[in-house]
Amino acid sequence: QVQLVESGGGLVQAGGSLRLSCVASGRTFSRYAMGWFRTDPGNEREFVAGVSWSGSSTYYADSVKGRFTISRDNANNTVFLQMNSLLPEDTAVYYCAADSIRPWGSNRNPYEYDYWGQGTQVTVSS
């Protein structure tokens, strides 16, 4: 079983930056695609960014392209989400998730991810 723990959320003014981290347990982290999701206004989890098992391929929601960067450090079982130029619309609970089946990181369907962290709150003030 994989355990995921997010950190790095907080309160920031519009235009500011935050870096989220997600640390995974186990020895198989490097085989999993990883994604970041966030709650939308309807409290559904929407895709934010994904990264392939190797870190060589990344994918982003249109709303965050050019502002957010996903990366991973497999040696330390960690995935990051660097968030720049934050907007009030980015306010949400952010979750990291692992896909144990698909290695590409392009899967935007939260129901097809196998493991989830507890979430970390990001609040962006105007």
Side-chain angles (χ1 to χ4, degrees):
Q1 298 297 308
V2 175
Q3 303 291 325
L4 305 175
V5 180
E6 303 101 330
S7 63
L11 175 64
V12 66
Q13 293 184 351
S17 298
L18 286 172
R19 188 184 72 166
L20 307 184
S21 299
C22 175
V23 179
S25 66
R27 304 176 185 175
T28 58
F29 172 79
S30 63
R31 299 181 181 180
Y32 297 164
M34 298 293 296
W36 285 97
F37 293 78
R38 68 187 183 188
T39 51
D40 67 13
N43 208 36
E44 298 292 330
R45 296 186 183 184
E46 64 177 1
F47 176 82
V48 175
V51 61
S52 63
W53 68 272
S54 67
S56 62
S57 298
T58 58
Y59 305 88
Y60 299 94
D62 289 342
S63 60
V64 306
K65 283 183 178 178
R67 300 189 297 120
F68 291 9
T69 302
I70 188 172
S71 61
R72 66 192 298 161
D73 179 357
N74 286 345
N76 292 292
N77 284 6
T78 305
V79 62
F80 303 97
L81 185 67
Q82 178 66 45
M83 304 185 294
N84 298 326
S85 301
L86 283 162
L87 302 169
E89 300 93 283
D90 296 316
T91 295
V93 178
Y94 284 72
Y95 300 87
C96 68
D99 186 342
S100 64
I101 302 299
R102 306 161 190 84
W104 311 288
S106 57
N107 186 8
R108 301 180 178 224
N109 184 354
Y111 296 103
E112 295 183 340
Y113 282 74
D114 304 290
Y115 305 101
W116 292 85
Q118 82 288 349
T120 185
Q121 176 70 48
V122 172
T123 302
V124 184
S125 63
S126 60

